[in-house]
Amino acid sequence: MGDSSSSSCPASYIHMVQHLIEKCLIFHMTKEECMEALSKHANINPIITSTVWKELEKENKEFFEAYMKSKAKDDRMSQEETNQIIQKMISESDSSKR
């Protein structure tokens, strides 16, 4: 799963995953793209990402309905664009912890 800090403070780990999902939403990623990106670039288990995403959907039903409608109209980002965005998110997240 994630790093060892995930076992010492589950709430902060979940909050970090939520924050990264919110960043993925800003970049118009689908749930699957977000799960793949966080797994690849932040070493977050896709099951964790999926679970947190589902909880966010429950809490923000109207937002996600509108998001999915707008997402259906958008073109997908290239793999290169996705990689660059995720790397930037991770480095910003790391620098904000210092």
Side-chain angles (χ1 to χ4, degrees):
M1 279 191 226
D3 59 344
S4 60
S5 67
S6 64
S7 60
S8 63
C9 189
S12 78
Y13 182 73
I14 297 300
H15 183 72
M16 180 204 57
V17 173
Q18 177 181 338
H19 178 72
L20 291 173
I21 289 172
E22 290 167 354
K23 293 279 190 174
C24 290
L25 293 172
I26 291 169
F27 295 108
H28 308 285
M29 292 182 183
T30 64
K31 179 180 176 182
E32 290 72 24
E33 289 169 329
C34 181
M35 289 167 50
E36 181 181 337
L38 296 187
S39 175
K40 182 177 179 181
H41 299 287
N43 198 28
I44 296 171
N45 187 320
I47 294 169
I48 305 246
T49 302
S50 178
T51 302
V52 175
W53 183 291
K54 286 177 190 172
E55 288 302 312
L56 289 171
E57 282 182 320
K58 284 183 199 174
E59 294 173 15
N60 305 284
K61 193 171 184 170
E62 290 177 6
F63 168 81
F64 276 92
E65 286 172 358
Y67 179 78
M68 294 314 289
K69 284 180 187 173
S70 72
K71 185 72 187 127
K73 297 175 190 172
D74 288 348
D75 293 328
R76 294 180 56 148
M77 286 192 297
S78 72
Q79 185 66 36
E80 178 68 22
E81 288 173 308
T82 303
N83 286 340
Q84 289 173 353
I85 289 166
I86 295 297
Q87 286 300 326
K88 185 177 180 203
M89 287 170 29
I90 300 301
S91 66
E92 288 173 356
S93 177
D94 288 345
S95 66
S96 69
K97 292 178 184 175
R98 293 180 193 152

